[in-house]
Amino acid sequence: MSAPAEPAKTDPTLEALWLELEPHIDWPEGLALSVLFATHPWAVDFLKGRVAALMRERGEVLGEHVPTTVEELRGLGPVLETAPARGVGAIWVELWRGSGGPGWDEAMTALLRGLNEARSKLEHELRLPIVLVLPLSLRGQVFVDAPDLWTIRSFTADLPVPRWGMREAVPMAPVSRSAHPLGAPSPREQEWARIYQLAAGDPRRVDFLAASEAMFDALSRGDLPTARRTGDEVRSLLGESRGLEIRLGTIELSADNLERATQHFERALSMSEGPAQLALALRLIASVAFKRGALDRARARLEEALGILEAALEHDPSATALIPEQINSLIRLSDVELDDGNLRQARAHLSQALVALGWPTPSITDLPDTAQVRRVLTAFQQLEEHAGDLARAKHYADLLAQLPPSAG
Amino acid sequence: MSELRSKAKAFYNHLDFDKPITFGLDQLVAAKDAQPEGLYVEAIHGVDPSLDPVVELADQIDFSLSAGAYLFTGNRGTGKTTELMRLAKLLDGYGCEVFYVDLSRYLMLTQRVEVTDFLISVLGALSEKVNQRFPGTLGGEVGKPTFFERTWSFLKSGVEFEGLSLPAGPAGLRAALVHTPSFKAELQKRTRSHVQVLVDEARGFALEVVELVRARRGDPDRKVVMIVDSVERLRGNGTPKEVRAVFHSAEQLFASNAELLRFVGLSAVYTVPPYLQALAGGLGSLYAGGRIYALPSVHVYEGRPAEGQPPVSSAEGVGKLVEIVDRRYKWRAEFFTEAQLRRLAERSGGDLRDYFRMLRLAITGIARRGTDHAHAVLEAAEDAVRRDMLPIADDDRAWLAKIEHSHRPCLPSLDQLPEFARLQQGKYVLQYRNGDDWYAVHPLLREELGLA
């Protein structure tokens, strides 16, 4: 996410345009797609600044995606289909500033097709306003490339270009900061109880996140029945969901109810889409099998997860967001092998994790994702301690000491 | 926030068209993704109840002793999923066990489709729905294998996959069918000589599902119906050659493989692209019911006009569209008069999405400018929707004029089918079915085309 655009100079045309666009960003309680056609950054920057300011005022942030290379463009589809980070109130996607170089048009068409395919996901899972800025040249083509997406648009506009005399325009009016920051610090379980009562059976008014946090807190107090009851309440309001099943499975797993945990994770798997979701669900199922001592079953599930991730990364090497899950699966698979007495295999999986992170490099500190490197080295150190090879364990401890301090 | 703006915001959100009305069928579509039943206006697609295609289809399934495969179609924006839910509700009332599958979540629909990948996706999806309703019956550690698991095992042992890596497991197979075009294409190629094996697997699995449902329900006669939605989104993108290839594959799938899409014991309702109706009229005759059950645009016109005559507005049909708004927001009179709503309804041509889009644009305009400017706001909303369809190429203009004159597709040849589909999906042409199947150009374009 980049910083909001510089405040732009404006004129009455832009102000009028913003007044038309603003309700389609500020009002929707679900997906609302605005498609803007641009040839010049003047209006684009102005509107982006206004949308970002509106988000700040609401205590939220704007999820910005402005790919400038073909690689970035290719990697954008899966990112947009994934649930955004907490606090993101709207998504801004600019596809008109790109390189225009070889492969750009094909990648753009592929992205639009992909988003078109993902229409249901955008409607039912993303559930946020999206502003899609396209080149004006696509005006007559977008309904062919993305007919389903085009069908659900709320607002469209051809953005104006600056007129002579713009230098005399007035600066954009300052926008007030929010007085209500994100995540009000009231006790989370009470907050969920309040929301549930107010919802009165209307699922549109319910936020799964509040329930998820309440479940976590209940579990932290050791109150498993309350955590389960909260899960039942969520299901009664929102129906089945992958996220809920994962949360409930995790709760049951931590309470050692392995049968129940497996059922939840299997259901999450059946609702999973895309490599990251599938791999996560498979790894969780493997974790339960591992805890049960069913090492072959755990191994098979983890190998399946890794196969999915490797195929996705091979197909799209820029999908680096998948690497953390790959590391998780490899570390877990190493645990399985260690438990099964296959020390060499256990080491091989951790080595593979380091390679996935970019190893070899001249120094361990050259690897960019320090947090993941730390996890793998820690796993290595523990493995060697477990195997009784203290010299090797010390070697990894030394490497860990070279890493910059952890941020958290 | 001013009171008007606050109400406008509520009104705007009550015109949510993303969620179908599910008639309380939470087991098919989660409540959070559904609208309440009270919003449904009866008979919006056919003023004459005897022509209601949903009732006809439900009756056909109910009356048939054996299971069949049925085709259902409708343009974008006609409320297909809501009508499929109504179908499910009727069938539920007749004692059927209904499963609903949104195929767009299981199969890439912008690529050629063949019977093998289609069956794998459809029955794989059914496995998941069955397991959700009857946990533990399919998949996992104790259930019978899901269709994805069976297919994956079959592909692993029975199909040569040289040079192509088969996904590492069933979950990977499921994902690859949606996300990996190269895999899907290779799968089609490699399984062409194994079609019958897969069909047999599919039929065996379908019957197992039926037996499982009947055992679970304690009802040996229970009918089991699978509704497969979103298949109508099958269409090509890219070069004209690619576009034609997908059109041709859809035609092949439903015309040449009709027998393979039927299952013993399990009735299937497939939504198909509306352009398939323009194909050889015999397609419907290959399926149960002997026809394609078509959901037209809302009947804002009286029946098919005589050649050369414009359509005549239907007060009753337009009134249905006004009623839809009244059901969704009871204070709508603070924004629009009935006459204003009727005007927008007529200008939408009965396309619900365009109707809602214009309403939403008008609501934001009134919140900004006040109700005194309603007339200008409505014109601006109509202009905005019209602008999205402009400019119109000269050859399209000529074709649209012909369609408006004859109220037929006026397809010069079947090669032009993709072009006709483009005009339909862009809403340039709307389809009606009161009394007869007929077509009209979008009313917002009449002036632009010199037809007003």
Side-chain angles (χ1 to χ4, degrees), chain A residues 130-385:
Chain A
I130 301 179
V131 181
L132 187 59
V133 188
L134 297 174
L136 187 61
S137 57
L138 277 188
R139 186 76 161 90
Q141 184 64 23
V142 61
F143 86 86
V144 178
D145 284 338
D148 297 309
L149 208 58
W150 185 245
T151 298
I152 60 170
R153 71 201 183 280
S154 292
F155 179 78
T156 58
D158 295 348
L159 298 186
V161 295
R163 295 191 310 261
W164 182 253
M166 270 306 297
R167 288 173 195 284
E168 293 172 15
V170 294
M172 190 172 76
V175 179
S176 65
R177 294 272 177 172
S178 169
H180 44 85
L182 268 182
S186 57
R188 299 189 290 192
E189 290 175 76
Q190 289 176 28
E191 175 64 4
W192 166 252
R194 188 183 69 81
I195 291 171
Y196 182 64
Q197 191 177 14
L198 284 175
D202 182 353
R204 289 176 303 181
R205 302 174 66 189
V206 172
D207 174 14
F208 171 65
L209 187 66
S212 179
E213 291 179 341
M215 278 189 268
F216 178 82
D217 286 358
L219 191 69
S220 300
R221 292 188 292 108
D223 187 352
L224 186 60
T226 298
R228 281 182 184 153
R229 193 191 65 228
T230 305
D232 290 341
E233 289 168 354
V234 176
R235 191 180 282 120
S236 73
L237 281 172
L238 301 179
E240 303 288 339
S241 88
R242 175 186 154 273
L244 175 62
E245 295 303 333
I246 286 181
R247 170 59 75 187
L248 291 173
T250 310
I251 285 172
E252 299 297 350
L253 181 60
S254 64
D256 264 350
N257 294 318
L258 303 185
E259 188 66 40
R260 283 186 184 224
T262 303
Q263 286 169 8
H264 287 301
F265 292 146
E266 290 280 4
R267 286 163 81 166
L269 177 63
S270 75
M271 288 181 245
S272 295
E273 293 182 17
Q277 290 186 3
L278 288 164
L280 170 64
L282 287 165
R283 178 169 59 80
L284 291 170
I285 293 168
S287 296
V288 185
F290 179 60
K291 212 163 178 178
R292 278 181 161 165
L295 298 183
D296 285 343
R297 206 172 293 147
R299 185 183 291 113
R301 290 301 207 177
L302 288 165
E303 284 174 351
E304 189 177 356
L306 285 164
I308 290 169
L309 293 168
E310 281 159 16
L313 282 162
E314 193 180 323
H315 175 66
D316 180 6
S318 66
T320 50
L322 298 175
I323 290 176
E325 185 52 43
Q326 189 183 20
I327 303 303
N328 287 336
S329 295
L330 283 166
I331 290 176
R332 178 54 85 192
L333 190 53
S334 172
D335 291 341
V336 171
E337 297 298 355
L338 188 62
D339 224 43
D340 213 10
N342 303 322
L343 183 58
R344 183 182 292 188
Q345 269 305 104
R347 283 183 178 135
H349 291 311
L350 292 182
S351 298
Q352 195 185 339
L354 274 186
V355 170
L357 291 168
W359 186 257
T361 49
S363 160
I364 195 78
T365 55
D366 294 337
L367 292 174
D369 192 344
T370 309
Q372 295 296 338
V373 173
R374 183 182 301 282
R375 294 186 58 228
V376 177
L377 291 179
T378 304
F380 253 130
Q381 185 189 354
Q382 289 168 349
L383 179 149
E384 299 302 351
E385 283 171 356

